[in-house]
């Protein structure tokens, strides 16, 4: 309904320009989010969470998440091989960052995850606690299930675990499959917030990419 009203009150060219600017700013924020996320996870593997170094890394990660949340209510990040997607759009990364994506993808895969979705409103202490559990759960035989139980017991609704992809195709078809999966993940995040308009916008954006 909101999308229909907006279409009636604003010219299509203006909407297209707004959408392009929104996507440009979102992807720019996503390019910063990937290295900040990996930097935080690496830091937690070397230091106590209360140490100054991970606290600074957490500040940087929160700043990057805030950039994304300034554009969208969710930050749904998927990493697969050297591909990264944010809210249904592929991130076009520089050469140095592809190595980071591979490391992040392997880190998540070891925990039976394909990505993570952070909703707007996640508090600092809860984010840190979740990331500590994310690091430790690799020792479990059922890491994703253990993480899901932790989130439920801690009443953390602002974090969603994204299941890993099981790609059967290769080449261009693989990228198409990943893109569609990324769009579906983002649409589900929007629906969970009661934002049907956001879910529809994600699907429309995916058709245009």
């Amino acid at each position: 309904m909101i999308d229909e009203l907006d279409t009636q009150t604003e010219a299509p060219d203006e909407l297209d320009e707004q959408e392009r600017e929104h996507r440009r700013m979102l992807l720019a924020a996503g390019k910063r989010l990937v290295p900040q996320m990996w930097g935080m996870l690496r830091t937690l593997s070397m230091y106590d969470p209360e140490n100054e170094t991970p606290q600074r890394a957490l500040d940087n990660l929160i700043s990057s998440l805030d950039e994304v949340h300034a554009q969208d209510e969710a930050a749904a990040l998927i990493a697969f091989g050297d591909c990264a997607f944010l809210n249904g759009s592929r991130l076009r990364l520089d050469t140095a960052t592809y190595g980071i994506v591979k490391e992040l993808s392997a880190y998540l895969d070891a925990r039976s995850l394909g990505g993570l979705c952070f909703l707007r409103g996640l508090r600092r202490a809860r984010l840190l606690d979740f990331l500590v559990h994310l690091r430790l759960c690799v020792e479990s035989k059922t890491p994703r299930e253990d993480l899901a139980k932790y989130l439920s017991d801690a009443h953390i609704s602002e974090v969603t675990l994204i299941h890993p992809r099981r790609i059967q195709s290769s080449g261009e078809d693989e990228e198409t499959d990943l893109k569609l999966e990324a769009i579906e993940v983002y649409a589900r995040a929007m629906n969970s917030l009661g934002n049907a308009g956001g879910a529809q916008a994600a699907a429309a954006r995916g058709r245009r990419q």
Side-chain angles (χ1 to χ4, degrees):
M1 179 63 69
I2 294 175
D3 285 352
E4 292 173 359
L5 288 173
D6 285 346
T7 302
Q8 291 171 2
T9 56
E10 298 185 56
D13 288 346
E14 184 178 350
L15 284 174
D16 288 345
E17 182 59 34
Q18 288 178 357
E19 174 64 21
R20 283 194 294 269
E21 179 63 11
H22 165 81
R23 185 165 178 267
R24 185 191 67 78
M25 295 181 69
L26 180 67
L27 294 183
K31 289 179 181 180
R32 290 184 284 272
L33 175 62
V34 170
Q36 298 299 350
M37 175 67 73
W38 180 236
M40 180 65 200
L41 295 175
R42 276 181 54 84
T43 300
L44 281 176
S45 69
M46 296 183 285
Y47 298 94
D48 182 273
E50 299 306 320
N51 184 280
E52 181 181 353
T53 301
Q55 289 296 318
R56 283 200 305 268
L58 181 62
D59 288 338
N60 292 335
L61 174 58
I62 290 173
S63 177
S64 292
L65 285 171
D66 286 345
E67 282 190 76
V68 177
H69 289 148
Q71 303 300 320
D72 272 336
E73 295 175 77
L77 181 64
I78 290 177
F80 184 88
D82 60 1
C83 297
F85 292 81
L86 179 67
N87 292 2
S89 295
R90 181 169 181 179
L91 298 175
R92 304 295 176 180
L93 305 168
D94 56 54
T95 304
T97 311
Y98 279 115
I100 294 175
V101 174
K102 287 184 177 180
E103 296 280 4
L104 178 60
S105 175
Y107 186 97
L108 294 172
D109 189 61
R111 292 153 177 80
S112 301
L113 294 171
L116 297 166
C117 180
F118 301 95
L119 302 183
R120 189 186 294 164
L122 178 61
R123 296 200 298 270
R124 177 192 178 90
R126 287 191 163 198
L127 174 58
L128 178 59
D129 200 35
F130 165 73
L131 294 175
V132 170
H133 278 78
L134 180 65
R135 179 178 71 84
L136 297 174
C137 76
V138 72
E139 301 171 5
S140 169
K141 293 182 179 179
T142 56
R144 189 176 69 233
E145 289 77 4
D146 289 357
L147 274 175
K149 183 177 186 304
Y150 155 73
L151 289 172
S152 176
D153 291 346
H155 305 290
I156 298 177
S157 59
E158 300 91 351
V159 178
T160 301
L161 307 176
I162 300 173
H163 290 206
R165 282 288 299 172
R166 293 289 181 258
I167 299 298
Q168 301 298 323
S169 56
S170 60
E172 294 182 1
D173 289 340
E174 178 179 275
E175 180 173 342
T176 299
D177 287 347
L178 282 167
K179 184 194 301 180
L180 291 174
E181 174 70 6
I183 292 166
E184 289 171 7
V185 165
Y186 177 57
R188 287 197 297 271
M190 290 294 95
N191 278 324
S192 73
L193 293 169
N195 188 342
Q200 292 170 2
R205 185 163 64 243
R207 287 192 295 268
R208 290 195 297 269
Q209 288 180 27

